[in-house]
Amino acid sequence: MEKMSRVSTALGGNALTGRTMHCHLDAPANAISVCRDAAQVVVAGRSIFKIFAIEEEQFVEKLNLRVGRKPSLNLSCADVVWHQMDENLLATAATNGVVVTWNLGRPSRNKQDQLFTEHKRTVNKVCFHPTEAHVLLSGSQDGFMKCFDLRRKDSVSTFSGQSESVRDVQFSIRDYFTFASTFENGNVQLWDIRRPDRCERMFTAHNGPVFCCDWHPEDRGWLATGGRDKMVKVWDMTTHRAKEMHCVQTIASVARVKWRPECRHHLATCSMMVDHNIYVWDVRRPFVPAAMFEEHRDVTTGIAWRHPHDPSFLLSGSKDSTLCQHLFRDASQPVERANPEGLCYGLFGDLAFAAKESLVAAESGRKPYTGDRRHPIFFKRKLDPAEPFSGLASSALNVFEIEPGGGSMSWFVDTAERYALAGRPLAELCDHNAKVARELGRNQVAQTWTMLRIIYCSPGLVPSTNLNHSVGKGSSCGLPLMNSFNLKDMAPGLGSETRLDRSKGDTRSDTVLLDSSATLITNEDNEETEGSDVPTDYLLGDVEGEEDELYPLDPEHAHPEEPEYVLPQEAFPLRHEIVDTPSGPEHLQDKADSPHVSGNEADAVSLVPVDSSFSLLSISHALYDSRLPPDFFSVLVCDMLRFYAEQGDVQMAVSVLIVLGERVRKDIDEQTQEHWYTSYIDLLQRFRLWNVSNEVVKLSTSQAVSCLNQASTTLHVNCSHCKRPMSSRGWVCDRCHRCASMCAVCHHVVKGLFVWCQGCSHGGHLQHIMKWLEGSSQCPAGCGHLCEYS
Amino acid sequence: AANEAYTASLAVSELLGCKQCGASRGQDEELGIRIPRPLGHGPSRFIPEKEILQVGSEDAQMHALFADSFAALGRLDNITLVMVFHPQYLESFLKTQHYLLQMDGPLPLHYRHYIGIMAAARHQCSYLVNLHVNDFLHVGGDPKWLNGLENAPQKLQNLGELNKVLAHRPWLITKEHIERLLKAEEHSWSLAELVHAVVLLTHYHSLASFTFGCGISPEIHCDGGHTFRPPSVSNYCICDITNGNHSVDEMQVSSPGSVSVSDSFFEVEALMAKMRQLQECRDEEEASQEEMASRFEMEKRESMFVFSSDDDEGTPARDVSRHFEDTSYGYKDFSRHGMHVPTFRVQDYCWEDHGYSLVNRLYPDVGQLIDEKFHIAYNLTYNTMAMHKDVDTSMLRRAIWNYIHCMFGIRYDDYDYGEINQLLDRSFKVYIKTVVCTPEKVTKRMYDSFWRQFKHSEKVHVNLLLIEARMQAELLYALRAITRYMT
């Protein structure tokens, strides 16, 4: 780690020389302090208290102040400070609450001078007056600060912070009488040493403890504070109210802060936990540290600039039991490693990039490529001579804009908004989406939708090998039989005589599906026509006594003598209702609604005949309809989906995935699906198509995706009278003391579940509203709105 | 949820009016519905029901707390009903617990409850286990896991060791424990998950202490909380929690009133006198450093042997035990052998500076919540002591807090451990020690025999100090190990 660069600076004839170096201590250090001649440093810790001479090449141990065999808690130092006027005078703060002063001029081995045992708790900080020889200040965990005159045995005055523990005390360098203290509860206080009764000023600087503070060596009113909230703040104390001048956000709680000499805007920090590095910040550039020292392997506990007028030497002590001298020249500069290049692709095809100015300058000399339809619209360059790292980390921004109409994404928005993904039969969905695509001039997409419709829902297509179980039982052995059946019966089927015993009301109740397994059940009879490859489902077999009706294709029963039986020709409305737990326990569907297929029913309803556009294609499907199952195509369809996704049209991939649902889902692995879904949702959200994105989330079957809209949802309620947010309770407003949410039916306050109509915003108790809407479709409040409960 | 709400409101109303229930029973039985009857009297077996706040007579603040609690948990549990002696603390407690269990966090919901079950089971706390078994199933947990830790995923099984050490000998946690959890290939924990788990474990260890320390009665919908026997069969209810010390007549015999008043009156007076004395002569009598150090060591060593004489060896509670292997691994075993507890110096690693930063970094906002909770618990005071008003109790509270940390080997450099001996008498120490280390052995006799003149609310207050100090101690050890792992 030791680098061989050397620096010597002339400071009034007193040259400082040295290099980056470190020495091993026997124990972790808690604090360090430098002698005023910049040639010695004192290191203090729980079990170490030594003075080192800083020589050119190395640290040399000069004195061990821990004398005597018996360990004493008085020597367990939390802080140490060297007097800046008298090089023989030191003070330490002990963890047991004792303040000790040391006189290096004493002839005996034991240099201990005075012992103040006035604090009841750990003393966190001691501080000498910058110009007065005998004044010492201490701040303790017990919440008191004490000022000692070293010529006397007791404290001269005691300052009570009236708040929690004192973490730091610092005499102002410029104001003779002023000192600042910081507290565990986030306060900073300013005191006049002559007035112990109350503080001059108090303000809250941080959220949580303020661990440290430091007065600016030149700027009279500037105070830097560092806290547990990971912030370093610079305050201007000259104004009437302390004003926050700068704020630096670090990555860990700030343990120490020290202004860098001779550099007005620089300060060094080290952290209390997790982060072991020392940073030097330019407060005007709060995001990237100006310099970083990475020598320590454990948290740094003490930092000190070696000389008050030399900005290049920094000393530090650490929990890893080392003492280091850092040379500013050897510091790593994160700015150099910072990547000032950035590239962003806009929603509407615009492209912006930022790059180092040197690069861009070379680039901009060139003529733009004429054949390119894109051209840079502006070139912005901002250079402030006062900027600390000008040239180092500044970059130029270029924006390229698509020519109007060139690569507009409006088709994406239109498509997203107009596509139908669920709620209608597959065929209709496909037709609708094909139409949308065609209208937007996307013929290939339109063609794809049409083909999907042919593959998966050709009318009269008779399922062959891949029927669901209930039908398939017969089909596997009775294939030839089915063929004849097909020829015989489907001919009228293609006409308009197809019958289904389902009334409109039935259909509706059927479509209120409980979960995916239930979807299978209701799908069952369309699938007979659509020939889907849905896995076998036995649930329908539970319907007692109706097997004959239900399974007319059973080998025993499917005789040609039953020509009346007609397969349903067209799907009934499919609704892909996705419930919030797709993989939840299976519910048995209400059997009463089970569709039974029977051509004998009198109230048969004829279903939609094939539309004209379709008839064109029906010729081709007739060629394979009884031979090739849709399963045959699934590989092709999957390839197609992947193709679209590769092309960047993830919209198509996801839309098809949703529309086809179970039919293709199993052929594409979960992760790919999830990837498509998240990409599409991300795109939708960037276009602020919140509704569409939510619909997609809801319709997705991937667990990871569908839980997206089930987390972190908070509903904020405002009072209906005073329109203020209701914070504590949902039913009574703290401000106007009125009950906000009344039930429209019983006119009592609703304290539990409150259900309300999104149309007219009336509502009430869940049970009451449910009951009311069974009997009436109008709003119980009498507003005339036709409320719906679903 | 509706069902739960029903049982909860049922529990509350029944707890309040047992006798009325008996009257109305006849009609219900005609309908063929079996109405469960609560066993025990009130939310706590130690505190007479009439001393505890009656639902319905609470003030606005408490009411808001009850409402929040009910909204979050779907019930008003007995812990809440006892803790409401100290609404300020309860608010913070509920907020933290709600955040840990229900808000955004690295662990899935059913894991959180399962960890809660694991932690409570270490202390055979069937009360908490039952509550969380319900919650666990409610959030979709796999019932198979409840057959024992070996049926849970490997990842949770790995946590078992940490749970065990943390509950009984937290000072033995090393960075190797942490490393093993984080480096277990496909069953490994992330740092954030681990911190969440550690906070949950410590929370439930200490909550188990509270449950036993205050003698919380089982909830009516849980095992041991109700009976279907008509009241005529047995005149009083016998709780079947393991301790076997809660028959009603015992409660009457040893109720605080029956102890000779003058005797206990002296206790309070003597305690107050000692506090005054310590306050005054603190500066004069300056003990030497070695003296201070030895006082700490002595207190630490002595705390190992402070145990109630009447620890009857009961077999662990029924099926709860299936959740933890190695029942024998407890606090007591080691203390009998006088194992040495290394000293942990708070000045080198404390919650405010170090623990907080670590937790908040890995599990945002929780550090803040726990920090608040510690603060409230440590600073809570009404300036009363038994019948005296305007007393500064900070010295007493600090002695209790530091005594608990002392048992875990945590030392404050700036504290004179001689104070503990002055302020805490033996029966109180026995109680503290039992609640913190082997909560399942707390008996009503212990609860009654310390601080006989003090109010129940003050004893609950003591319990709050105990559980928070314990939680902090466990957290400190666990977090220090994590910090060491990270550096």
Side-chain angles (χ1 to χ4, degrees):
Chain A
M1 248 0 255
E2 294 182 19
K3 295 167 192 146
M4 291 309 289
S5 64
R6 239 161 264 215
V7 164
S8 58
T9 35
L11 290 163
N14 185 9
L16 276 186
T17 56
R19 59 186 188 104
T20 296
M21 59 188 183
H22 66 83
C23 88
H24 189 77
L25 312 169
D26 309 323
N30 276 348
I32 63 170
S33 185
V34 192
C35 177
R36 104 183 137 150
D37 64 4
Q40 294 177 79
V41 60
V42 58
V43 182
R46 171 168 292 284
S47 49
I48 182 171
F49 189 22
K50 282 178 179 172
I51 290 176
F52 288 88
I54 312 167
E55 297 189 349
E56 198 170 314
E57 293 288 331
Q58 63 197 353
F59 291 105
V60 175
E61 184 178 327
K62 246 189 107 190
L63 191 62
N64 187 356
L65 289 155
R66 271 178 90 86
V67 289
R69 267 152 298 152
K70 39 185 187 179
S72 164
L73 273 182
N74 291 347
L75 291 175
S76 163
C77 305
D79 192 31
V80 64
V81 65
W82 206 318
H83 202 296
Q84 290 306 300
M85 301 297 291
D86 181 352
E87 54 195 45
N88 278 332
L89 197 55
L90 282 108
T92 56
T95 50
N96 63 350
V98 178
V99 175
V100 193
T101 60
W102 308 78
N103 186 356
L104 301 181
R106 277 169 74 116
S108 72
R109 260 186 79 223
N110 190 353
K111 309 287 186 192
Q112 187 171 320
D113 196 23
Q114 267 181 294
L115 210 65
F116 301 101
T117 53
E118 293 187 27
H119 284 295
K120 295 192 179 74
R121 306 283 306 270
T122 299
V123 178
N124 287 318
K125 203 79 184 178
V126 280
C127 177
F128 278 115
H129 195 278
T131 51
E132 201 60 50
H134 301 285
V135 178
L136 175 68
L137 191 66
S138 66
S140 158
Q141 198 76 16
D142 59 14
F144 293 103
M145 293 143 279
K146 285 180 189 284
C147 183
F148 303 95
D149 186 323
L150 302 185
R151 290 161 297 194
R152 293 168 58 172
K153 274 194 149 38
D154 309 314
S155 60
V156 184
S157 42
T158 300
F159 309 87
S160 168
Q162 303 290 345
S163 36
E164 289 173 56
S165 315
V166 186
R167 297 308 295 244
D168 200 355
V169 282
Q170 292 290 340
F171 274 111
S172 165
I173 294 165
R174 303 280 147 193
D175 283 332
Y176 186 88
F177 295 112
T178 309
F179 73 88
S181 56
T182 70
F183 292 85
E184 201 141 85
N185 59 5
N187 286 346
V188 171
Q189 294 181 350
L190 229 56
W191 290 82
D192 187 315
I193 197 104
R194 296 161 297 184
R195 294 196 56 185
D197 52 330
R198 58 179 199 84
C199 65
E200 299 281 287
R201 180 187 290 183
M202 179 168 91
F203 62 95
T204 302
H206 290 266
N207 181 15
V210 190
F211 288 137
C212 53
C213 66
D214 195 31
W215 289 96
H216 197 283
E218 289 142 41
D219 256 309
R220 191 181 148 94
W222 279 23
L223 180 75
T225 57
R228 193 171 71 179
D229 57 359
K230 308 178 190 173
M231 308 257 228
V232 179
K233 290 181 180 173
V234 179
W235 305 89
D236 184 0
M237 312 290 275
T238 49
T239 49
H240 179 62
R241 277 187 56 175
K243 200 171 102 197
E244 189 183 321
M245 306 287 291
H246 299 283
C247 178
V248 176
Q249 174 84 54
T250 68
I251 56 167
S253 50
V254 183
R256 311 268 173 187
V257 56
K258 284 272 182 279
W259 287 101
R260 186 174 175 208
E262 311 284 305
C263 295
R264 212 181 119 91
H265 289 105
H266 283 199
L267 48 77
T269 65
C270 64
S271 74
M272 184 76 88
M273 273 295 284
V274 190
D275 187 15
H276 311 155
N277 300 338
I278 303 164
Y279 300 101
V280 179
W281 300 87
D282 185 303
V283 290
R284 292 163 302 173
R285 188 115 192 193
F287 304 108
V288 187
M292 183 161 91
F293 300 100
E294 303 165 296
E295 275 82 4
H296 288 299
R297 301 270 75 87
D298 202 338
V299 282
T300 310
T301 46
I303 48 176
W305 294 95
R306 190 168 154 193
H307 192 280
H309 294 291
D310 188 339
S312 48
F313 294 95
L314 179 69
L315 298 166
S316 68
S318 158
K319 278 245 157 90
D320 65 1
S321 309
T322 53
L323 173 67
C324 268
Q325 172 170 268
H326 311 275
L327 231 61
F328 204 77
R329 169 183 292 181
D330 294 336
S332 67
Q333 299 195 318
V335 164
E336 278 178 346
R337 272 182 273 155
N339 194 359
E341 280 90 19
L343 178 77
C344 188
Y345 199 52
L347 269 184
F348 296 98
D350 305 340
L351 180 76
F353 77 88
K356 272 196 178 161
E357 280 182 5
S358 51
L359 290 176
V360 176
E363 191 80 20
S364 61
R366 268 188 237 154
K367 277 261 175 192
Y369 175 50
T370 42
D372 200 346
R373 290 185 305 138
R374 298 159 176 196
H375 58 97
I377 53 147
F378 69 86
F379 173 72
K380 199 175 139 215
R381 189 161 181 269
K382 188 179 151 241
L383 233 178
D384 179 6
E387 273 284 298
F389 319 113
S390 54
L392 249 183
S394 60
S395 45
L397 177 71
N398 295 268
V399 178
F400 294 92
E401 199 180 48
I402 295 275
E403 273 179 4
S408 146
M409 285 289 281
S410 62
W411 62 268
F412 178 88
V413 181
D414 278 351
T415 314
E417 277 173 345
R418 291 173 54 192
Y419 264 1
L421 300 178
R424 281 190 271 170
L426 180 65
E428 270 182 52
L429 290 176
C430 288
D431 283 345
H432 176 90
N433 293 347
K435 194 162 142 258
V436 169
R438 206 172 295 119
E439 278 168 18
L440 291 168
R442 306 174 70 213
N443 287 321
Q444 193 192 3
V445 175
Q447 200 72 15
T448 311
W449 281 113
T450 317
M451 280 156 68
L452 286 173
R453 186 207 201 282
I454 299 166
I455 294 170
Y456 289 102
C457 32
S458 37
L461 168 62
V462 170
S464 48
T465 50
N466 275 71
L467 279 175
N468 9 20
H469 180 74
S470 54
V471 183
K473 254 200 293 186
S475 62
S476 54
C477 57
L479 197 57
L481 186 132
M482 293 236 333
N483 269 346
S484 65
F485 172 73
N486 187 26
L487 290 173
K488 229 170 151 188
D489 298 317
M490 282 328 263
L494 276 168
S496 57
E497 289 176 27
T498 315
R499 276 139 207 270
L500 209 65
D501 66 329
R502 191 174 291 106
S503 71
K504 267 243 148 93
D506 263 349
T507 314
R508 192 176 162 195
S509 57
D510 277 345
T511 52
V512 184
L513 305 179
L514 291 171
D515 60 11
S516 51
S517 78
T519 316
L520 297 187
I521 307 172
T522 23
N523 276 355
E524 188 131 46
D525 44 353
N526 343 319
E527 256 112 50
E528 287 169 16
T529 50
E530 291 162 22
S532 154
D533 47 44
V534 183
T536 319
D537 201 296
Y538 297 89
L539 289 170
L540 229 77
D542 289 350
V543 187
E544 309 91 319
E546 289 184 346
E547 273 102 338
D548 288 2
E549 281 181 338
L550 272 168
Y551 305 123
L553 289 182
D554 246 23
E556 293 84 11
H557 297 278
H559 304 304
E561 293 94 79
E562 293 180 339
E564 298 96 334
Y565 177 71
V566 177
L567 272 175
Q569 173 228 19
E570 179 61 20
F572 76 96
L574 243 188
R575 254 173 85 178
H576 294 256
E577 189 90 12
I578 303 293
V579 290
D580 52 3
T581 48
S583 59
E586 304 202 342
H587 300 275
L588 285 180
Q589 215 209 347
D590 193 3
K591 285 301 170 312
D593 293 333
S594 261
H596 25 265
V597 183
S598 161
N600 294 333
E601 294 281 341
D603 55 347
V605 173
S606 155
L607 279 167
V608 201
V610 281
D611 62 72
S612 55
S613 75
F614 203 73
S615 59
L616 271 174
L617 298 155
S618 59
I619 304 161
S620 65
H621 89 74
L623 295 175
Y624 63 76
D625 60 354
S626 58
R627 288 281 171 255
L628 296 176
D631 209 17
F632 178 81
F633 298 103
S634 67
V635 182
L636 218 58
V637 172
C638 291
D639 281 347
M640 184 269 290
L641 290 183
R642 287 202 186 90
F643 166 78
Y644 275 111
E646 285 297 311
Q647 291 260 304
D649 190 1
V650 75
Q651 182 178 46
M652 183 66 186
V654 173
S655 305
V656 171
L657 201 58
I658 292 175
V659 168
L660 293 183
E662 288 296 335
R663 298 174 189 87
V664 287
R665 197 176 299 138
K666 68 168 169 44
D667 297 316
I668 301 170
D669 66 291
E670 276 284 320
Q671 254 180 332
T672 316
Q673 286 191 37
E674 202 181 308
H675 182 65
W676 290 351
Y677 272 117
T678 46
S679 316
Y680 187 40
I681 289 163
D682 183 47
L683 266 177
L684 288 172
Q685 289 180 345
R686 291 183 64 180
F687 279 103
R688 303 178 180 204
L689 297 165
W690 311 116
N691 288 342
V692 184
S693 109
N694 204 39
E695 193 190 347
V696 171
V697 172
K698 207 174 141 196
L699 289 172
S700 83
T701 46
S702 157
Q703 185 107 53
V705 177
S706 56
C707 68
L708 278 179
N709 60 0
Q710 288 172 26
S712 316
T713 307
T714 317
L715 196 65
H716 297 280
V717 194
N718 281 5
C719 172
S720 57
H721 302 295
C722 64
K723 307 283 186 282
R724 299 286 180 75
M726 312 221 296
S727 46
S728 62
R729 273 152 292 172
W731 61 84
V732 61
C733 176
D734 291 331
R735 251 173 255 279
C736 56
H737 300 289
R738 287 164 75 176
C739 292
S741 42
M742 304 289 244
C743 175
V745 179
C746 68
H747 298 285
H748 284 283
V749 185
V750 186
K751 291 190 177 179
L753 284 176
F754 187 87
V755 59
W756 72 89
C757 170
Q758 294 184 346
C760 64
S761 77
H762 290 117
H765 293 106
L766 179 61
Q767 300 292 335
H768 293 167
I769 297 290
M770 277 167 75
K771 203 175 257 173
W772 177 273
L773 289 174
E774 272 170 22
S776 160
S777 61
Q778 294 218 339
C779 176
C783 69
H785 185 260
L786 291 169
C787 300
E788 210 176 322
Y789 179 80
S790 55
Chain B
N3 188 29
E4 242 178 282
Y6 167 71
T7 45
S9 60
L10 178 76
V12 170
S13 64
E14 294 227 354
L15 287 170
L16 295 178
C18 232
K19 279 161 198 153
Q20 295 154 7
C21 278
S24 65
R25 179 175 314 273
Q27 304 160 8
D28 292 320
E29 267 167 6
E30 282 167 22
L31 298 172
I33 307 166
R34 297 215 302 158
I35 304 286
R37 220 163 42 78
L39 277 165
H41 297 263
S44 164
R45 290 177 285 111
F46 295 171
I47 308 168
E49 200 182 338
K50 61 181 187 308
E51 302 267 342
I52 290 179
L53 179 85
Q54 309 284 301
V55 177
S57 64
E58 69 270 12
D59 63 18
Q61 187 197 5
M62 293 176 182
H63 186 81
L65 279 173
F66 280 162
D68 287 347
S69 164
F70 190 83
L73 301 167
R75 61 176 174 252
L76 202 51
D77 54 22
N78 288 342
I79 289 184
T80 309
L81 289 172
V82 172
M83 267 189 197
V84 85
F85 273 123
H86 307 282
Q88 198 195 355
Y89 173 84
L90 178 63
E91 186 178 2
S92 171
F93 173 86
L94 288 174
K95 207 160 73 179
T96 311
Q97 183 166 270
H98 179 63
Y99 196 92
L100 286 179
L101 290 177
Q102 274 143 323
M103 301 299 275
D104 290 343
L107 289 174
L109 293 180
H110 60 290
Y111 267 51
R112 305 182 192 188
H113 289 292
Y114 196 78
I115 292 172
I117 296 171
M118 281 168 70
R122 277 290 349 148
H123 287 305
Q124 298 150 40
C125 180
S126 47
Y127 174 82
L128 287 174
V129 169
N130 283 334
L131 277 189
H132 285 280
V133 163
N134 287 349
D135 290 344
F136 172 75
L137 296 174
H138 191 72
V139 297
D142 184 349
K144 277 197 219 90
W145 297 8
L146 297 175
N147 295 331
L149 193 56
E150 61 276 8
N151 296 306
Q154 186 62 38
K155 189 167 163 175
L156 283 169
Q157 291 185 33
N158 292 348
L159 196 65
E161 174 73 12
L162 184 70
N163 179 24
K164 202 162 70 177
V165 182
L166 205 54
H168 305 295
R169 306 175 199 176
W171 51 90
L172 294 182
I173 293 178
T174 59
K175 74 173 188 190
E176 281 72 32
H177 284 110
I178 306 299
E179 199 170 329
R180 246 173 276 150
L181 287 171
L182 296 178
K183 292 249 167 85
E185 261 108 60
E186 78 245 59
H187 308 296
S188 71
W189 290 75
S190 75
L191 266 174
E193 288 172 333
L194 184 64
V195 167
H196 193 173
V198 162
V199 172
L200 280 171
L201 287 176
T202 52
H203 178 82
Y204 280 101
H205 289 155
S206 40
L207 200 54
S209 283
F210 183 83
T211 309
F212 286 112
C214 293
I216 301 292
S217 311
E219 299 290 335
I220 188 169
H221 63 283
C222 293
D223 282 351
H226 58 265
T227 177
F228 290 107
R229 275 182 302 179
S232 56
V233 173
S234 59
N235 284 328
Y236 53 84
C237 316
I238 305 146
C239 293
D240 62 339
I241 311 203
T242 46
N243 299 2
N245 53 290
H246 10 260
S247 57
V248 174
D249 35 8
E250 189 192 13
M251 213 170 344
Q252 283 151 359
V253 170
S254 57
S255 64
S258 66
V259 181
S260 95
V261 176
S262 60
D263 200 22
S264 50
F265 183 75
F266 279 130
E267 275 179 22
V268 183
E269 290 300 309
L271 185 55
M272 300 236 341
K274 271 182 193 154
M275 282 170 65
R276 265 195 304 275
Q277 191 192 345
L278 280 170
Q279 199 96 52
E280 285 156 9
C281 65
R282 179 183 261 162
D283 317 79
E284 302 162 24
E285 173 218 6
E286 193 52 52
S288 73
Q289 294 305 313
E290 306 84 74
E291 173 65 18
M292 296 292 246
S294 70
R295 278 182 194 171
F296 171 76
E297 287 302 326
M298 198 188 77
E299 206 59 51
K300 193 167 81 180
R301 220 174 20 252
E302 195 201 274
S303 74
M304 303 295 166
F305 300 103
V306 171
F307 261 111
S308 70
S309 45
D310 57 325
D311 55 354
D312 46 330
E313 199 69 57
T315 43
R318 309 163 308 261
D319 48 351
V320 177
S321 58
R322 69 188 172 213
H323 292 294
F324 53 101
E325 347 87 296
D326 195 6
T327 342
S328 56
Y329 192 97
Y331 184 88
K332 199 175 64 188
D333 300 308
F334 104 87
S335 63
R336 285 232 171 109
H337 304 137
M339 192 197 283
H340 178 67
V341 181
T343 301
F344 180 112
R345 292 189 185 262
V346 144
Q347 267 77 6
D348 292 345
Y349 197 100
C350 64
W351 165 256
E352 285 79 12
D353 295 0
H354 306 96
Y356 170 90
S357 302
L358 186 64
V359 172
N360 234 24
R361 185 187 179 89
L362 295 170
Y363 185 12
D365 299 339
V366 164
Q368 190 65 43
L369 289 169
I370 303 177
D371 192 43
E372 264 174 46
K373 191 156 66 88
F374 286 149
H375 256 259
I376 292 172
Y378 190 87
N379 294 325
L380 187 71
T381 183
Y382 307 96
N383 295 315
T384 56
M385 263 178 78
M387 50 291 204
H388 300 275
K389 287 203 172 71
D390 299 322
V391 191
D392 179 9
T393 58
S394 59
M395 183 183 282
L396 191 57
R397 284 180 283 127
R398 193 166 168 221
I400 296 171
W401 186 277
N402 287 357
Y403 179 63
I404 295 153
H405 278 189
C406 174
M407 290 189 303
F408 287 100
I410 297 173
R411 176 170 180 196
Y412 291 80
D413 284 344
D414 52 0
Y415 188 68
D416 175 7
Y417 285 84
E419 280 183 20
I420 289 177
N421 245 352
Q422 306 263 324
L423 297 176
L424 314 182
D425 59 18
R426 193 181 153 77
S427 59
F428 190 27
K429 278 184 179 174
V430 167
Y431 179 75
I432 294 178
K433 173 80 179 173
T434 318
V435 169
V436 171
C437 297
T438 50
E440 60 276 12
K441 298 216 162 61
V442 176
T443 61
K444 179 153 169 41
R445 194 176 304 135
M446 283 184 205
Y447 177 85
D448 289 331
S449 63
F450 83 95
W451 280 14
R452 277 172 289 186
Q453 222 25 38
F454 283 74
K455 296 194 221 41
H456 286 291
S457 74
E458 288 169 315
K459 293 193 173 187
V460 173
H461 185 175
V462 166
N463 268 288
L464 299 183
L465 273 175
L466 302 189
I467 65 170
E468 290 304 328
R470 172 176 187 194
M471 181 168 175
Q472 194 178 77
E474 286 187 16
L475 268 179
L476 279 177
Y477 278 109
L479 294 175
R480 187 178 65 165
I482 294 176
T483 308
R484 284 184 175 164
Y485 168 80
M486 288 169 72
T487 52

